[in-house]
Amino acid sequence: MIIGLFGNLLTVVALLKCPKVRNVAAAFIISLCIADFLFCAMVLPFAISGFWTRTWSHGGALCKLVPFLRYGNVGVSLLSIALITLNRYIMIAHHSWYGRVYRKHNIALMIIFSWMFSYGMQIPTLIGVWGEYEPAVSRGKFDYDPELGTCSIVTDEFGRSAKTALFVIAFIVPALLIFICYARIFWVVH
């Protein structure tokens, strides 16, 4: 936790203070570092507490907020890495598009999207209405999970949870994008 706080803060400061390293990827790296810094500062202390006590003693409101922050920051981190990868892919494989795609306004929109999407897709789970109006969709809420000894996404009274949908949307899709972009980079360079 301490190393993560220090390392991410140091990276952000270095990227902001050194004009030589300021480029498009630096904007995405700063977003990644901020998400990881917030994870270290606001999620890991509760994870440590839960690991030691194997219970949750921080109240109901934090039992909803902490997993919301955990999954949100992980989502931002994965999307930031995917954006860095996409940036490299376009730079190498479609260099003629680069200047049009990576304008300051577009970069800002990409970063804002990664934050809003990562947190926004969790709001139904946060307020306990995931799939409420669509019976075929998973439900679930943030609450204490006795099997994990911490607060997480738990199933509703019918055994449904939003974890699968969040896993596919927030992990599988960015992971596929990263894989495809690096495979194409390899193909172009090879």
Side-chain angles (χ1 to χ4, degrees):
M1 182 178 79
I2 301 299
I3 292 169
L5 288 168
F6 179 73
N8 285 298
L9 184 61
L10 186 63
T11 303
V12 170
V13 170
L15 289 171
L16 292 175
K17 284 195 165 240
C18 299
K20 289 181 182 178
V21 295
R22 271 192 235 145
N23 56 26
V24 174
F28 299 130
I29 293 169
I30 289 170
S31 178
L32 172 66
C33 288
I34 291 170
D36 290 350
F37 180 88
L38 292 173
F39 184 87
C40 291
M42 299 182 351
V43 175
L44 287 184
F46 295 101
I48 292 167
S49 170
F51 180 76
W52 278 335
T53 64
R54 297 299 295 163
T55 189
W56 185 263
S57 58
H58 308 289
L62 283 175
C63 193
K64 292 183 186 318
L65 181 63
V66 170
F68 178 73
L69 294 170
R70 178 188 317 124
Y71 291 113
N73 283 322
V74 168
V76 173
S77 293
L78 287 170
L79 286 175
S80 295
I81 293 167
L83 288 170
I84 293 165
T85 305
L86 187 61
N87 172 262
R88 289 176 178 166
Y89 168 69
I90 291 174
M91 183 188 316
I92 293 168
H94 301 284
H95 192 70
S96 62
W97 301 356
Y98 195 82
R100 288 178 299 200
V101 173
Y102 290 102
R103 294 184 176 150
K104 286 183 182 182
H105 179 262
N106 292 346
I107 296 166
L109 288 175
M110 291 176 203
I111 292 170
I112 290 167
F113 170 80
S114 70
W115 283 85
M116 290 183 70
F117 182 77
S118 296
Y119 281 96
M121 67 184 220
Q122 296 185 88
I123 290 174
T125 304
L126 181 65
I127 59 178
V129 296
W130 180 271
E132 185 169 306
Y133 304 107
E134 182 64 48
V137 176
S138 301
R139 286 174 122 179
K141 60 184 178 177
F142 292 121
D143 206 350
Y144 180 73
D145 185 340
E147 289 182 25
L148 297 175
T150 190
C151 296
S152 186
I153 300 171
V154 297
T155 58
D156 66 3
E157 62 273 14
F158 303 109
R160 298 175 295 194
S161 167
K163 277 187 178 179
T164 302
L166 291 173
F167 177 74
V168 169
I169 295 167
F171 179 75
I172 297 294
V173 171
L176 280 172
L177 176 70
I178 292 165
F179 176 79
I180 290 167
C181 285
Y182 278 122
R184 290 286 299 138
I185 290 170
F186 176 79
W187 181 259
V188 168
V189 171
H190 185 64

